Structure formats: C-alpha cells, structure tokens
C-alpha cells in the first residue's frame, strides 16, 4: 500500500484483493503507512481467500477485513 503522497486515494477508498492461486498473497504497507494500526505485512489465509482494504483517512491509515 503506497503512501497517500504517492497515490492520492480519497478517504473511504476500498480495494478488494483475492488470492486466486495456491501461492501466498500478502498485503504490505509502505513506509509510514498503517494497516490496522501496524506497519507489518498481513497474509491472506489460503487460496480463494479475500480481503478488503479501506483507507480511513488521507493520513496513510488503512483497515483490512476478510480472510486474514
């Protein structure tokens, strides 16, 4: 997830992500980007698992919900 200064997503933007294959898909917040209050990578749990990330403010804060 890039910083808002690089990609200007408006607050409330939602992005759906699906792990279609057998590999591991991980959501990786960029430098100074916060995902559920943390800066760590979060993997999707298994093939056909899906998550939605939502930018809560334009200050690099996102939440993630779904199969994690």
């Amino acid at each position: 997830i890039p910083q808002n200064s690089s990609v200007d997503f408006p607050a409330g933007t939602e992005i759906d992500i699906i792990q279609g294959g057998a590999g591991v898909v991980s959501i990786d917040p960029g430098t100074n980007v916060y995902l559920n209050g943390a800066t760590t990578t979060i993997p999707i749990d298994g093939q056909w698992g899906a998550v939605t990330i939502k930018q809560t403010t334009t200050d690099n804060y996102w939440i993630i919900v779904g199969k994690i």
Side-chain angles (χ1 to χ4, degrees):
I1 303 171
Q3 287 187 355
N4 204 58
S5 60
S6 297
V7 180
D8 190 16
F9 291 113
T13 295
E14 292 186 355
I15 301 171
D16 297 321
I17 303 165
I18 299 170
Q19 180 175 317
V24 175
V25 173
S26 294
I27 313 306
D28 187 16
T31 303
N32 296 320
V33 174
Y34 301 93
L35 185 57
N36 289 5
T39 58
T40 57
T41 300
I42 298 176
I44 295 176
D45 186 25
Q47 187 173 10
W48 303 114
V51 299
T52 299
I53 59 173
K54 181 175 183 173
Q55 187 172 23
T56 58
T57 70
T58 56
D59 293 330
N60 300 312
Y61 286 90
W62 293 75
I63 58 171
I64 185 169
V65 294
K67 194 171 180 183
I68 53 175

